[in-house]
């Protein structure tokens, strides 16, 4: 028999770096006959089996899909490898942020047959569901075709130069995200992601989401996080984060109107995220950064998600799912699982928009390249199958895109 606890806190057997996963989210029990039972541990966002949120303990069958937050749990691997959790578990998020030590990254390779099957099944389901809702009147497929800041962190005042705004006459090139040997997987992910967003945006066109609505969604997430985490509301590091945020926000050329707030969370997780102008910066990420310029690269990235409207479509889909009841929740659960790789281009776009905010400041924009190179040191080498399950591009590609962006748009060459 075996009991496996899954959640965000380090005390769990399986630690998942996913914003929507609770500290102690799920328990997996495997009996002597290799039957697998799961129990949700009163998590905030629930545990889903085949898109349906469970209330009681549930026995898993061979082809059941287990989803918590935005992370698929490949539970059959626990059986295949004789319960050796350390060797078989790999979340479908960025591996270096989640593995307990670097060696696990090499040990945690999942069998590709299972992944390929899951990809094929889910993509077919999502395509069928999406296209069944879209008629030719809604969508025509033919239309788719600063740099002198100190190198150590400090709480010294940051001089604001509000006359210098972000440059808007820039171009974004995403060809840098391609990898040697990717056999066109990146192009497929990015192009199909754009197509899917266009289809969904057309379908949900009648649902109007304002900045106020996005801020309300951010307020709700803030309330949820207040129950899960301890917030650091004073001290030099807290003041430092707010100073950096204020500097970056002042550079927006055409702000949408968010009231930005940054929250410093006392948790070792290597993470930062945003919703509705709220930016949640985890202490693990703060400690990982070597300079204020690296911190600025992350905060500017989160600002970009709000300003570019990357979160709007997700709020629309959640609103529609609520209206459709259980069917809507099933569709949304499956859609989240199969389309998370479609967000990779948006993540890179947020990186580049963020550099446009950083450039007119005193922060060193080249430090963003250093940051992502360091992030990528413990990542797996490129793998076509894994690429379909990543919500973020490979870190080394993110650093390459930022380097190209600074060179082509600002004539700035970083080592």
């Amino acid at each position: 028999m075996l009991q496996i606890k899954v959640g965000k806190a380090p005390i769990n057997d399986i630690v998942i770096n996913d914003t929507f996963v609770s500290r102690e989210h799920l328990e997996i029990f495997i009996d002597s006959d290799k039957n697998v039972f799961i129990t949700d541990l009163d998590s905030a966002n629930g545990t889903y089996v085949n898109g349906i949120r469970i209330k009681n303990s549930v026995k898993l069958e061979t082809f059941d899909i287990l989803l918590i937050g935005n992370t698929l749990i490949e539970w059959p691997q626990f059986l295949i490898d004789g319960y050796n959790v350390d060797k078989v578990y790999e979340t479908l998020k960025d591996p270096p942020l989640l593995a307990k030590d670097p060696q696990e990254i090499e040990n945690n390779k999942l069998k590709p047959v299972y992944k390929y099957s899951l990809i094929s099944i889910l993509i077919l389901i999502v395509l069928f569901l999406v296209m069944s809702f879209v008629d030719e009147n809604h969508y025509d497929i033919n239309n788719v075709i600063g740099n002198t800041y100190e190198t150590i962190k400090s709480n010294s005042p940051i001089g604001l130069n509000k006359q210098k705004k972000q440059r808007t006459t820039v171009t974004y090139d995403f060809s840098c995200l391609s990898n040697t040997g990717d056999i066109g997987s990146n192009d497929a992910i990015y192009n199909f992601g754009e197509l899917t967003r266009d289809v969904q945006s057309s379908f949900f066109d009648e649902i109007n989401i304002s900045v106020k609505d996005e801020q309300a969604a951010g307020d709700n997430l803030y309330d949820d996080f207040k129950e899960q985490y301890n917030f650091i509301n004073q001290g030099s590091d807290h003041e430092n984060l707010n100073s950096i945020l204020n500097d970056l926000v002042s550079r927006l050329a055409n702000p949408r109107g968010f009231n930005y707030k940054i929250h410093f969370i006392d948790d070792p997780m290597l993470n930062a995220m945003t919703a509705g102008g709220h930016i949640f910066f985890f202490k693990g990420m703060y400690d990982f950064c070597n300079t204020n310029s690296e911190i600025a690269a992350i905060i500017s990235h989160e600002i970009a998600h709000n300003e570019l409207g990357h979160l709007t479509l997700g709020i629309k889909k959640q609103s529609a799912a609520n209206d459709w009841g259980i069917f809507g929740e099933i569709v949304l659960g499956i859609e989240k699982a199969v389309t998370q790789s479609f967000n990779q281009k948006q993540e890179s776009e947020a990186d580049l928009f963020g550099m446009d905010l950083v450039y007119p400041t005193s922060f060193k924009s080249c430090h963003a390249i250093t940051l992502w190179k360091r992030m990528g040191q413990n990542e797996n080498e490129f793998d076509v199958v894994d690429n379909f399950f990543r919500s973020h591009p490979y870190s080394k590609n993110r650093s390459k895109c930022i380097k190209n962006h600074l060179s082509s748009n600002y004539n700035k060459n970083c080592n």
Side-chain angles (χ1 to χ4, degrees):
M1 295 185 293
L2 179 69
Q3 282 184 304
I4 304 169
K5 284 195 174 181
V6 181
K8 195 156 35 181
I11 62 173
N12 291 283
D13 301 300
I14 301 300
V15 179
I16 296 182
N17 184 5
D18 184 328
T19 301
F20 298 99
V21 170
S22 296
R23 294 179 64 82
E24 296 183 26
H25 194 110
L26 169 72
E27 183 176 77
I28 301 174
F29 176 76
I30 305 174
D31 66 19
S32 56
D33 295 323
K34 293 193 176 182
N35 295 309
V36 180
F37 300 87
I38 58 168
T39 304
D40 183 85
L41 301 176
D42 294 325
S43 63
N45 295 302
T47 297
Y48 292 81
V49 176
N50 302 327
I52 300 176
R53 185 168 183 168
I54 67 171
K55 295 182 179 179
N56 303 309
S57 294
V58 172
K59 178 183 176 183
L60 294 178
E61 303 298 337
T62 304
F63 296 106
D64 283 345
I65 297 173
L66 176 59
L67 177 72
I68 60 174
N70 291 320
T71 301
L72 287 173
I73 306 298
E74 299 201 16
W75 59 271
Q77 298 297 316
F78 299 145
L79 304 178
I80 294 172
D81 286 56
Y83 305 158
N84 193 335
V85 176
D86 287 338
K87 290 186 177 180
V88 302
Y89 184 75
E90 177 186 47
T91 71
L92 302 177
K93 295 289 185 182
D94 291 340
L97 309 187
L98 304 173
K100 295 176 182 176
D101 60 70
Q103 186 59 43
E104 285 186 20
I105 297 172
E106 294 303 318
N107 293 338
N108 286 341
K109 295 288 188 178
L110 297 182
K111 293 183 170 47
V113 173
Y114 181 81
K115 284 188 174 180
Y116 278 123
S117 301
L118 185 59
I119 292 172
S120 302
I121 293 170
L122 292 180
I123 286 179
L124 288 174
I125 292 173
V126 172
L127 278 176
F128 174 79
L129 292 171
V130 170
M131 297 311 294
S132 67
F133 285 123
V134 180
D135 58 45
E136 62 184 1
N137 294 324
H138 285 92
Y139 185 72
D140 181 3
I141 196 169
N142 294 320
N143 290 331
V144 179
I145 308 283
N147 301 326
T148 59
Y149 194 66
E150 78 277 8
T151 59
I152 59 172
K153 290 184 288 188
S154 73
N155 63 339
S156 58
I158 300 172
L160 302 184
N161 184 348
K162 295 189 178 181
Q163 285 70 42
K164 292 184 179 180
K165 301 289 185 179
Q166 71 178 125
R167 189 181 298 176
T168 56
T169 55
V170 295
T171 57
Y172 292 165
D173 178 12
F174 301 105
S175 60
C176 47
L177 293 175
S178 297
N179 297 271
T180 302
D182 75 357
I183 62 173
S185 65
N186 275 318
D187 289 339
I189 288 172
Y190 306 145
N191 293 335
F192 193 58
E194 291 297 300
L195 174 62
T196 301
R197 275 188 289 274
D198 286 342
V199 171
Q200 293 178 337
S201 295
S202 176
F203 179 67
F204 297 117
D205 186 56
E206 294 182 358
I207 301 178
N208 296 316
I209 300 295
S210 64
V211 168
K212 185 177 180 179
D213 294 326
E214 291 192 40
Q215 289 182 158
D219 292 342
N220 291 335
L221 184 58
Y222 170 76
D223 291 338
D224 289 342
F225 275 14
K226 287 289 287 183
E227 295 181 1
Q228 296 183 46
Y229 301 106
N230 293 321
F231 281 46
I232 302 172
N233 296 317
Q234 57 185 359
S236 60
D237 292 342
H238 177 264
E239 293 175 5
N240 191 43
L241 286 172
N242 278 280
S243 296
I244 297 172
L245 173 69
N246 292 335
D247 192 350
L248 293 169
V249 170
S250 74
R251 312 297 173 164
L252 289 168
N254 301 296
R256 291 181 63 199
F258 289 100
N259 178 24
Y260 283 99
K261 298 178 181 179
I262 194 161
H263 309 288
F264 194 23
I265 298 179
D266 189 11
D267 190 281
M269 187 186 307
L270 198 62
N271 195 18
M273 60 88 61
T274 187
H278 291 275
I279 296 175
F280 302 93
F281 210 104
F282 288 72
K283 192 174 186 302
M285 178 65 81
Y286 189 88
D287 292 340
F288 182 81
C289 293
N290 290 334
T291 68
N292 270 340
S293 297
E294 291 185 357
I295 294 173
I298 296 171
I299 295 177
S300 63
H301 171 98
E302 302 304 335
I303 293 172
H305 278 312
N306 292 278
E307 296 299 325
L308 293 171
H310 289 168
L311 311 176
T312 306
L313 181 57
I315 297 175
K316 286 186 176 184
K317 289 189 289 187
Q318 185 61 64
S319 176
N322 294 340
D323 292 340
W324 295 340
I326 187 62
F327 175 71
E329 292 296 332
I330 293 174
V331 172
L332 185 62
I334 296 175
E335 191 268 349
K336 282 183 178 180
V338 75
T339 64
Q340 63 178 347
S341 64
F342 297 167
N343 296 325
Q344 289 188 28
K345 187 174 181 179
Q346 289 187 327
E347 293 296 333
S348 183
E349 184 181 25
D351 285 341
L352 305 186
F353 184 100
M355 288 298 96
D356 298 332
L357 289 182
V358 169
Y359 191 80
T361 69
S362 298
F363 302 114
K364 294 184 177 181
S365 50
C366 290
H367 281 210
I369 299 171
T370 305
L371 170 69
W372 290 112
K373 283 183 177 179
R374 199 165 70 253
M375 283 276 199
Q377 287 178 352
N378 293 325
E379 282 187 0
N380 290 340
E381 291 299 318
F382 175 77
D383 181 88
V384 173
V385 177
D386 286 337
N387 201 31
F388 277 99
F389 285 92
R390 297 178 65 90
S391 60
H392 292 62
Y394 283 88
S395 295
K396 65 179 181 181
N397 288 345
R398 297 175 74 170
S399 66
K400 182 170 61 173
C401 285
I402 293 172
K403 183 176 182 178
N404 291 350
H405 181 68
L406 293 173
S407 176
S408 60
N409 289 285
Y410 298 97
N411 196 30
K412 182 171 184 60
N413 297 314
C414 302
N415 296 326

